[in-house]
Amino acid sequence: MWSTPGLLTDHYELTMVRAARADGTADRRCVFEVFARRLPPGRRYGVVAGMARLVELLRDFRFAPEVVSHLRERGVVDDDTAAWLKAYRFRGDIDGYAEGELFFPGSPILTVSGTFAECVLLETLVLSVLNHDCAVAAAAARMVTAARGRGLIEMGSRRTHEEAAVAAARAAYLAGFTYTSNLAAGARYGIPTAGTAAHAYTLLHDDEPTAFAGQVATLGADTTLLVDTYDISQGIRHAIAAAGPSLRAIRIDSGDLSVLAHQSRELLDSLGATETKIIVSGDLDENAIAALAAEPVDLYGAGTSVVTGSGAPTAGLVYKLVEVEGRPVVKRSENKATIGGRKTAVRRHKPTGTATEEIVFSRGVPDHSPHDRLLQHSYVAGGEAVPRPALAEARAHLRQCLISIPWEGLKLSAGDPAVPVTVVPSP
Amino acid sequence: MWSTPGLLTDHYELTMVRAARADGTADRRCVFEVFARRLPPGRRYGVVAGMARLVELLRDFRFAPEVVSHLRERGVVDDDTAAWLKAYRFRGDIDGYAEGELFFPGSPILTVSGTFAECVLLETLVLSVLNHDCAVAAAAARMVTAARGRGLIEMGSRRTHEEAAVAAARAAYLAGFTYTSNLAAGARYGIPTAGTAAHAYTLLHDDEPTAFAGQVATLGADTTLLVDTYDISQGIRHAIAAAGPSLRAIRIDSGDLSVLAHQSRELLDSLGATETKIIVSGDLDENAIAALAAEPVDLYGAGTSVVTGSGAPTAGLVYKLVEVEGRPVVKRSENKATIGGRKTAVRRHKPTGTATEEIVFSRGVPDHSPHDRLLQHSYVAGGEAVPRPALAEARAHLRQCLISIPWEGLKLSAGDPAVPVTVVPSP
């Protein structure tokens, strides 16, 4: 009962609903917008992820009678708001950028419209889902770029909250990772899972040859043997002795991976295992992956840094009221560039396909050329979910988007946003 | 079905079980240990949190027939392991440090004993829960120290995964926070919740006086008015005009909080609102909180930095096999100081109560004086959960532990662990 999505909400949302219902403003037509004021330090783009998770959670965003009673007893709501909550379901509209789309400071990635009360209640859930998933996807996309076409396994479940781990696996896959270690992500989202053995498996056995023989007896030579429990060179010899030269892969999880990958490749080749792949893991982030570009590595395993956003664990997205009954609103203390009102976003491209600019209009849909792309799509209309592309398509979309940005945008080093955003006020 | 705790597991755990069952090693008696090799950079202590969440999740850590069929179809398990999984429940023992206890590099905060197969399966869930909750609790404890007795509201739900937010609220409360904004944390764990209004509430209304009048009409003067939507001085005047000088609190969420807190106090006093509290929020971390110590602030709101561990979003805990059939085991590539075998931990204190050292014995329970404290307690015995102190007691325990460490240990600046850990090998 206490795991209902409706409770994944901050106390003040309900206090605001209560006061607004009492003073007659709760039903004013409002527009809320989700955007980032800035990207994390040094980042050149953000990646939209989590939209499908959000829409799925929204479907169950209700307040059961026991939950409402609890909130009433705790004094969070009064009788009037309690009755309203019992009947609550979101009946408004949600429009937003596609999953896998890039975003930049000021991009209106989500627009929520409806009454004040029905929309304000979604703030916490919307931001929790998007801030987390976008943060992971952006870090993962940089790792995919750094891997230059080599595969990546997301194996960070142990380094983040158990449910965040599942969402992180999804975001990393969306960003182009090849596999996840997380079985729930495999089951829920159909993401390919991978994983063979930890050091514990080797230590369990009397010695390494026995451990490898056991693994190969069950899983065949089409498996990955972890060779760094004791001495790596010895481990590789034991691995090929156990599986033969058709062993699929070895994994190295410690030490100087540049040197070890090189030495391991030589040793494997000398043992005739020329097709055996080398998988490396152990505190890899995008910079460590990039530094291994010249080494004979076939697959990277990334854990901590991908699930924690590689230094930026939250995407900095905010949920702001921008329009009330058709009137644009804005906090006085905001940056001067902030403009109220519902926005429309278009990304402009050269005829070659390179993105040049994102234009955010504060009113209406502008004229646009065939090289422009309208960035917003309907996710929820009148409270009903609108079918959207599946995860695989979002993954392909991001790949296309990353090809479309100016090449400087893919550099790992710190720099300006890859595509400038111009906000055009209404006339 | 796909949200069962059993699936919050890495693929390789099942692959290892499968190979170990085939080669006859799955039932070897094993001991796994959870510890941190190091604390995050500059930190002087870790805080144990998440144990109660872990034990609760373990209760449901099973594999339903549909889940097993899914894993079988995907080729993760074979028929033998599928049958074993269907009957799985953990029947071993779990011992660990109390929630609210401090830990240092090498502290054996959790010890899991049983067969290899039943214990290895728990690695991912154990580490997910503890790495997340301990990271948040450690950051939160530093903020509580920095607040010097003033209250703190955890309001970071919007900056982290929606379920991580609930666990983060619990960890922050354990560490001494006063309130959380998260309603699910209030419902699940009985944590006091707080929250009144966001800028959206003010913007919804035609002007600030109308917004404040609406809030006060519903919630009375015993509320908090957010005064920085437009001009703060004007906002404070509007607040007192609406609520009178008995207004409970104002909140400031932007700007130079040192200057604004000072000016706001003067203005409130000049308006006769001498008892009205000042709450500040907006990107506060432990250093920003410490910098406000001399200002007239009554309550701090912390969001992003607490839920993301203030620069250390994961606690660096690992789950290592240390003993097989009574024989200590250790990876060759480990630090020389790493010692295999089941450990017993004792914290030594001066007669004044100040902690001087943590001794970790690799065998048996050592002689200990009345000033020593045995750090490990039974959480699960023969698969059954053992009753443990409630959250409020864990919170009180941490307060006591922080009093017990040498005073340098409470400094926010970088430094060595507050209490040295000595690992004593078996004779």
Side-chain angles (χ1 to χ4, degrees):
Chain A
M1 173 163 74
W2 305 134
S3 58
T4 172
L7 278 176
L8 300 171
T9 295
D10 283 323
H11 187 130
Y12 78 172
E13 319 290 5
L14 288 177
T15 314
M16 286 190 274
V17 169
R18 180 174 158 187
R21 283 189 56 76
D23 74 11
T25 54
D27 290 334
R28 290 188 175 178
R29 306 300 304 176
C30 287
V31 178
F32 286 82
E33 184 183 297
V34 175
F35 63 96
R37 292 204 176 87
R38 63 196 75 85
L39 297 174
R43 294 289 179 85
R44 296 165 186 252
Y45 59 83
V47 174
V48 176
M51 296 291 198
R53 288 213 309 117
L54 175 61
V55 172
E56 196 183 324
L57 284 161
L58 268 183
R59 200 170 299 148
D60 299 320
F61 195 94
R62 304 284 185 93
F63 295 85
E66 308 88 313
V67 170
V68 175
S69 301
H70 162 85
L71 295 170
R72 180 70 193 88
E73 282 157 25
R74 283 240 178 171
V76 178
V77 295
D78 56 13
D79 287 337
D80 166 76
T81 305
W84 179 85
L85 266 190
K86 273 185 205 167
Y88 178 84
R89 79 179 192 82
F90 180 72
R91 292 184 173 83
D93 300 326
I94 299 180
D95 301 279
Y97 283 31
E99 284 204 283
E101 187 58 79
L102 303 180
F103 69 89
F104 306 95
S107 297
I109 72 166
L110 201 78
T111 306
V112 180
S113 344
T115 67
F116 174 78
E118 72 180 341
C119 295
V120 79
L121 220 52
L122 303 184
E123 176 185 28
T124 308
L125 185 69
V126 165
L127 290 180
S128 291
V129 171
L130 298 183
N131 269 321
H132 176 268
D133 291 15
C134 294
V136 173
R142 284 161 60 85
M143 294 177 200
V144 170
T145 296
R148 300 192 188 182
R150 293 172 177 173
L152 292 129
I153 310 180
E154 182 281 306
M155 42 171 69
S157 295
R158 285 161 287 165
R159 312 297 175 215
T160 188
H161 180 278
E162 67 276 10
E163 278 295 331
V166 188
R170 181 182 185 279
Y173 183 71
L174 191 161
F177 271 54
T178 322
Y179 304 103
T180 179
S181 64
N182 188 287
L183 290 173
R188 289 188 210 169
Y189 305 119
I191 300 170
T193 62
T196 45
H199 298 110
Y201 179 77
T202 301
L203 293 171
L204 167 69
H205 290 79
D206 298 336
D207 53 35
E208 194 174 55
T210 314
F212 288 174
Q215 186 175 331
V216 170
T218 302
L219 302 170
D222 189 25
T223 190
T224 302
L225 293 170
L226 178 62
V227 294
D228 69 341
T229 305
Y230 305 108
D231 176 81
I232 292 182
S233 296
Q234 200 60 41
I236 290 173
R237 290 177 197 283
H238 291 155
I240 301 304
S246 64
L247 174 65
R248 186 179 60 193
I250 61 161
R251 178 160 76 97
I252 309 170
D253 186 50
S254 55
D256 181 331
L257 297 174
S258 287
V259 173
L260 294 174
H262 199 74
Q263 290 176 349
S264 298
R265 183 73 271 157
E266 282 186 356
L267 180 54
L268 285 168
D269 289 349
S270 76
L271 297 169
T274 54
E275 300 298 313
T276 300
K277 307 279 188 236
I278 297 178
I279 305 174
V280 297
S281 57
D283 293 329
L284 292 181
D285 64 11
E286 58 269 49
N287 297 308
I289 290 168
L292 290 166
E295 307 305 333
V297 169
D298 298 286
L299 200 67
Y300 300 97
T304 305
S305 62
V306 60
V307 300
T308 61
S310 200
T314 187
L317 297 165
V318 294
Y319 184 90
K320 294 294 168 190
L321 180 61
V322 295
E323 193 172 300
V324 179
E325 297 286 3
R327 165 179 62 91
V329 297
V330 65
K331 255 173 75 185
R332 173 94 64 94
S333 55
E334 286 287 349
N335 186 306
K336 295 284 188 299
T338 307
I339 287 174
R342 173 192 292 276
K343 318 282 194 312
T344 303
V346 169
R347 192 161 309 146
R348 300 228 145 122
H349 298 79
K350 291 182 195 172
T352 57
T354 302
T356 55
E357 191 179 15
E358 187 167 312
I359 317 254
V360 176
F361 297 85
S362 71
R363 283 293 154 129
V365 180
D367 291 339
H368 50 282
S369 86
H371 302 301
D372 295 345
R373 194 151 55 79
L374 289 169
L375 296 171
Q376 291 149 308
H377 307 273
S378 176
Y379 279 94
V380 174
E384 298 300 326
V386 174
R388 292 283 312 147
L391 182 58
E393 290 163 76
R395 193 165 182 260
H397 183 63
L398 174 59
R399 205 159 47 227
Q400 279 308 310
C401 286
L402 286 172
I403 291 169
S404 78
I405 60 175
W407 69 269
E408 298 93 345
L410 293 179
K411 288 166 77 173
L412 297 180
S413 56
D416 290 331
V419 174
V421 176
T422 306
V423 182
V424 181
S426 54
Chain B
M1 175 163 74
W2 305 134
S3 58
T4 172
L7 278 176
L8 300 171
T9 295
D10 283 325
H11 187 129
Y12 78 173
E13 319 290 4
L14 287 177
T15 314
M16 286 190 274
V17 168
R18 179 174 159 187
R21 283 189 57 76
D23 74 11
T25 54
D27 291 333
R28 290 188 175 179
R29 306 299 303 175
C30 287
V31 179
F32 286 82
E33 184 182 298
V34 175
F35 62 96
R37 292 203 175 88
R38 62 195 77 85
L39 297 175
R43 295 289 178 86
R44 295 165 185 252
Y45 58 83
V47 174
V48 176
M51 297 291 199
R53 287 212 311 117
L54 175 62
V55 172
E56 197 183 322
L57 284 161
L58 269 182
R59 200 169 299 148
D60 299 321
F61 195 95
R62 306 285 186 89
F63 295 84
E66 307 89 313
V67 170
V68 174
S69 300
H70 163 84
L71 295 171
R72 180 70 192 88
E73 282 157 26
R74 282 240 178 172
V76 178
V77 296
D78 55 13
D79 287 337
D80 166 77
T81 304
W84 180 85
L85 265 191
K86 273 186 202 164
Y88 178 83
R89 79 178 190 83
F90 181 72
R91 292 185 173 83
D93 300 325
I94 300 180
D95 302 278
Y97 283 31
E99 283 204 284
E101 187 58 79
L102 303 179
F103 70 88
F104 306 97
S107 297
I109 73 165
L110 202 78
T111 307
V112 180
S113 342
T115 67
F116 174 78
E118 71 181 341
C119 294
V120 79
L121 220 51
L122 303 184
E123 176 184 30
T124 309
L125 185 68
V126 164
L127 289 180
S128 290
V129 172
L130 298 183
N131 269 323
H132 175 267
D133 291 17
C134 293
V136 174
R142 285 162 59 86
M143 293 176 200
V144 171
T145 296
R148 300 193 187 181
R150 293 172 176 172
L152 292 129
I153 309 180
E154 182 281 306
M155 41 173 69
S157 296
R158 285 162 286 165
R159 312 297 174 215
T160 188
H161 181 278
E162 67 277 9
E163 278 295 332
V166 188
R170 182 182 185 278
Y173 183 71
L174 190 161
F177 271 54
T178 322
Y179 305 102
T180 178
S181 64
N182 189 287
L183 290 173
R188 289 189 210 167
Y189 305 119
I191 300 171
T193 61
T196 46
H199 297 111
Y201 179 77
T202 301
L203 292 172
L204 168 69
H205 290 80
D206 299 336
D207 53 35
E208 194 175 55
T210 314
F212 287 175
Q215 187 176 331
V216 171
T218 302
L219 302 170
D222 188 27
T223 190
T224 300
L225 293 170
L226 179 62
V227 294
D228 68 341
T229 304
Y230 304 108
D231 175 80
I232 293 183
S233 295
Q234 200 61 40
I236 291 174
R237 289 177 200 281
H238 290 155
I240 301 304
S246 63
L247 174 65
R248 186 178 61 193
I250 61 162
R251 178 159 76 96
I252 308 170
D253 187 49
S254 56
D256 180 331
L257 296 175
S258 287
V259 172
L260 293 174
H262 199 75
Q263 290 176 348
S264 299
R265 183 74 271 158
E266 281 187 357
L267 179 54
L268 285 169
D269 289 349
S270 77
L271 296 170
T274 54
E275 300 297 311
T276 300
K277 307 279 189 235
I278 297 177
I279 305 175
V280 297
S281 57
D283 292 329
L284 293 180
D285 64 10
E286 59 268 48
N287 296 310
I289 290 169
L292 290 166
E295 305 305 333
V297 167
D298 298 286
L299 200 68
Y300 299 97
T304 304
S305 61
V306 60
V307 300
T308 61
S310 200
T314 187
L317 297 165
V318 295
Y319 185 90
K320 294 294 168 190
L321 179 61
V322 295
E323 194 172 300
V324 178
E325 297 285 4
R327 164 179 63 91
V329 296
V330 64
K331 254 174 74 185
R332 171 94 66 95
S333 54
E334 286 287 348
N335 185 307
K336 296 284 189 298
T338 307
I339 287 174
R342 174 191 291 276
K343 318 281 195 310
T344 303
V346 169
R347 192 160 308 146
R348 300 230 145 123
H349 298 79
K350 291 184 195 171
T352 57
T354 303
T356 55
E357 193 179 13
E358 187 166 312
I359 317 253
V360 176
F361 297 86
S362 71
R363 284 291 154 132
V365 180
D367 291 340
H368 50 283
S369 84
H371 302 302
D372 294 345
R373 195 151 55 79
L374 289 170
L375 295 171
Q376 291 149 309
H377 306 273
S378 175
Y379 278 93
V380 174
E384 298 299 327
V386 174
R388 291 285 309 148
L391 182 57
E393 290 164 74
R395 193 166 182 257
H397 183 63
L398 174 59
R399 206 157 48 226
Q400 280 307 311
C401 286
L402 286 172
I403 291 169
S404 79
I405 59 175
W407 68 269
E408 297 92 345
L410 294 179
K411 287 166 78 174
L412 297 180
S413 56
D416 290 331
V419 174
V421 176
T422 307
V423 182
V424 180
S426 55

